[in-house]
Amino acid sequence: MSFPPIQAVIFDFDGTILDTETHEFRRWQALYRQHDRELPLSEWQRGIGTWDAFDPWAGLPETVQRDREVTQAILRDAIHADIQAADLRPGVRDVLNAVRPAGLRLALATSSDRAWVTRWLSEHALLDAFETLATRDDVARVKPDPELYLLAARQLGLHPSACVAVEDSLNGATAAVAAGMRVVVVPNEVTATQPFPPTWARLDGFTGGLDALLAAAQTTTQ
């Protein structure tokens, strides 16, 4: 498939801009180990970038299940504290700040809900960086379904083929490709071992800036 010139960059959020995913996995992993269980990364990866694809509670003892409400509250507070203390992924702010001066549009497409995303974007003074947000609240099906990316393109008034998606996960990148977009995969610690097809462009991080991202996008094939 040949693509027209890139007119927009559409970012995923969790794990791509802010690595919430690694913090969450580490806390769940620690909870499992407290109860002499192991949480396989391969199992956890099934739920990354989507919703309800993996239930981590199912692998915990019944004693934990009975006290689930209290355990969940403690776990949630710990995860949020970790995320609160974390910075954006290295180099990603520079990339985001360079998109509009380069004459490109900027949007966000995420399987998370709008309240979650706006909370952390606001925390890092990034909410106004995006022209539009497509969130879980806006669609019937989240990634790996292409609906979120199709919505983001429609909100921008662009054909999907004129957009490049920036993703960290297999579910997310699959959604972008299904929408007919170029995709650049920039995995994090917990998604790096996912089986991304070699035809999808991949970068180790954002330190090369927007130029490196766009150069990688030009190599994408489907």
Side-chain angles (χ1 to χ4, degrees):
M1 175 180 176
S2 59
F3 291 96
I6 295 170
Q7 297 183 54
V9 183
I10 304 178
F11 267 79
D12 171 55
F13 177 69
D14 289 285
T16 303
I17 293 174
L18 181 63
D19 189 6
T20 59
E21 292 164 356
T22 298
H23 294 297
E24 187 175 13
F25 175 67
R26 286 174 177 166
R27 287 290 180 176
W28 275 100
Q29 191 177 50
L31 178 61
Y32 266 61
R33 288 174 177 168
Q34 285 174 21
H35 299 281
D36 298 318
R37 303 286 175 93
E38 281 296 324
L39 175 57
L41 177 57
S42 59
E43 289 295 301
W44 182 264
Q45 287 174 338
R46 293 194 290 115
I48 296 175
T50 187
W51 206 261
D52 291 336
F54 172 66
D55 179 12
W57 290 102
L60 290 166
E62 188 176 335
T63 53
V64 180
Q65 307 280 0
R66 287 199 298 266
D67 203 24
R68 178 168 169 166
E69 187 174 333
V70 173
T71 302
Q72 188 167 32
I74 294 169
L75 186 65
R76 182 185 61 243
D77 289 348
I79 292 168
H80 287 194
D82 290 344
I83 296 171
Q84 183 78 42
D87 200 355
L88 303 175
R89 289 187 61 182
V92 73
R93 186 183 296 276
D94 290 339
V95 173
L96 294 172
N97 288 340
V99 172
R100 289 190 178 182
L104 302 173
R105 315 275 292 281
L106 182 61
L108 187 142
T110 174
S111 293
S112 293
D113 61 58
R114 186 171 293 266
W116 173 262
V117 173
T118 55
R119 170 186 176 177
W120 296 111
L121 288 177
S122 297
E123 184 75 23
H124 292 276
L126 284 175
L127 186 58
D128 293 337
F130 296 92
E131 188 171 335
T132 188
L133 308 177
T135 75
R136 177 188 170 200
D137 299 328
D138 305 314
V139 294
R141 297 170 300 278
V142 296
K143 305 169 188 176
D145 189 276
E147 188 175 359
L148 278 163
Y149 277 110
L150 293 173
L151 174 61
R154 190 161 63 248
Q155 289 171 334
L156 292 171
L158 296 174
H159 192 275
S161 62
C163 305
V164 56
V166 185
E167 275 284 354
D168 71 294
S169 72
L170 184 60
N171 282 318
T174 298
V177 171
M181 296 183 182
R182 298 172 177 90
V183 65
V184 179
V185 178
V186 192
N188 58 54
E189 182 179 330
V190 297
T191 60
T193 58
Q194 290 195 288
F196 300 104
T199 52
W200 296 356
R202 177 170 176 161
L203 294 174
D204 291 332
F206 294 101
T207 54
L210 179 62
D211 289 344
L213 187 72
L214 295 179
Q218 300 292 356
T219 69
T220 296
T221 59
Q222 291 186 336

